[in-house]
Amino acid sequence: PRAQPAAGGAAQGQSAANARALLEQALQSGDDALLEEVLSVRKAAVIEATIAQLPAELLRPLLAALVQRAQSQPARAMELTQWLQTLLTTHTSYFLVLPQLHVLLAPLYQTIDQRLASFKVLLKLAGRLQLLHSHIEAKAQRAAATESALAGPMLVYQDVHAVDDDEDGLAAADINIMEGADDLDEEEEDEDDEEGDDEEEGEDEDESDGEEDE
């Protein structure tokens, strides 16, 4: 009988020693449920310690299990990548001399290529959609600006006090203009009177000179 995992499962704070023991048992017995429980661990320190202590004869079965899950369940790529990267970097020397390693990794390469191809298509589509959205938004803004310019103000507010002040100012200006015109008329009359007085004085002087000659 296999050992029962600690309460709460491997994802709930399993130590590296417990995770390694469960991983070894899952790989040796082919227990997929137990293996899934171990692979649900997210702590990088636990994953690194678990893989570092794993016996060499279990490295290939673990790699095969990770590749198979990455190919059949692409949605778990982020979850499985941490395990795959740690496994390949920690035991690089072992996998470099492993016969037919490329055959073992071929499904993983194929999955990665498919994801990258889909990503390029999605990226291109996202760029076109963004361009279309920008065009529609700019057109809507121009239409709104045109409509606003044609509509004009919906309400015109006029301050009664400001109008009264303007009228008072205009009335005062009219009064000043009228007073200025009156002043000009008076000045012209004064000038005419002065000119008349000068002419009378000149006539008097001419008469005096005539009398003296006689």
Side-chain angles (χ1 to χ4, degrees):
R2 65 180 178 86
Q4 296 296 324
Q12 303 298 325
Q14 277 285 8
S15 66
N18 289 339
R20 179 183 60 80
L22 293 176
L23 181 58
E24 289 181 6
Q25 184 173 347
L27 293 173
Q28 290 171 350
S29 63
D31 191 335
D32 288 339
L34 184 58
L35 180 58
E36 286 294 337
E37 186 173 358
V38 177
L39 294 180
S40 64
V41 174
R42 297 290 185 275
K43 292 182 179 180
V46 176
I47 294 174
E48 292 172 0
T50 300
I51 290 179
Q53 299 171 7
L54 198 64
E57 63 271 15
L58 297 179
L59 297 179
R60 180 170 180 169
L62 177 58
L63 179 60
L66 291 172
V67 171
Q68 186 272 330
R69 282 166 172 75
Q71 184 181 20
S72 61
Q73 304 174 25
R76 298 180 60 188
M78 292 296 298
E79 171 189 347
L80 299 173
T81 297
Q82 190 172 9
W83 282 90
L84 277 166
Q85 183 178 0
T86 304
L87 176 63
L88 293 173
T89 54
T90 303
H91 299 284
T92 303
S93 58
Y94 171 82
F95 288 111
L96 286 177
V97 298
L98 185 67
Q100 298 182 340
L101 177 63
H102 65 283
V103 176
L104 185 61
L105 295 178
L108 181 61
Y109 288 137
Q110 183 179 1
T111 302
I112 293 175
D113 290 339
Q114 291 175 351
R115 297 294 295 272
L116 289 176
S118 300
F119 175 75
K120 291 179 180 178
V121 173
L122 291 175
L123 185 62
K124 188 175 182 179
L125 178 60
R128 291 183 177 180
L129 290 175
Q130 185 176 5
L131 180 62
L132 178 61
H133 179 267
S134 300
H135 177 71
I136 294 174
E137 187 176 17
K139 186 176 180 180
Q141 290 178 353
R142 289 195 299 268
T146 303
E147 183 179 356
S148 177
L150 294 176
M154 296 180 63
L155 178 65
V156 177
Y157 173 75
Q158 189 172 14
D159 191 350
V160 177
H161 297 292
V163 173
D164 292 340
D165 292 341
D166 292 340
E167 291 179 352
D168 293 341
L170 291 174
D174 291 339
I175 292 172
N176 291 333
I177 292 172
M178 294 176 64
E179 290 179 351
D182 293 340
D183 292 339
L184 290 174
D185 292 339
E186 291 178 357
E187 290 178 358
E188 291 177 356
E189 290 178 357
D190 292 339
E191 290 178 356
D192 292 340
D193 292 340
E194 290 177 357
E195 290 177 357
D197 293 339
D198 293 338
E199 291 177 356
E200 290 178 357
E201 290 178 357
E203 291 176 357
D204 293 337
E205 290 177 356
D206 292 338
E207 291 178 356
S208 299
D209 292 338
E211 290 177 356
E212 289 176 0
D213 293 337
E214 291 178 357

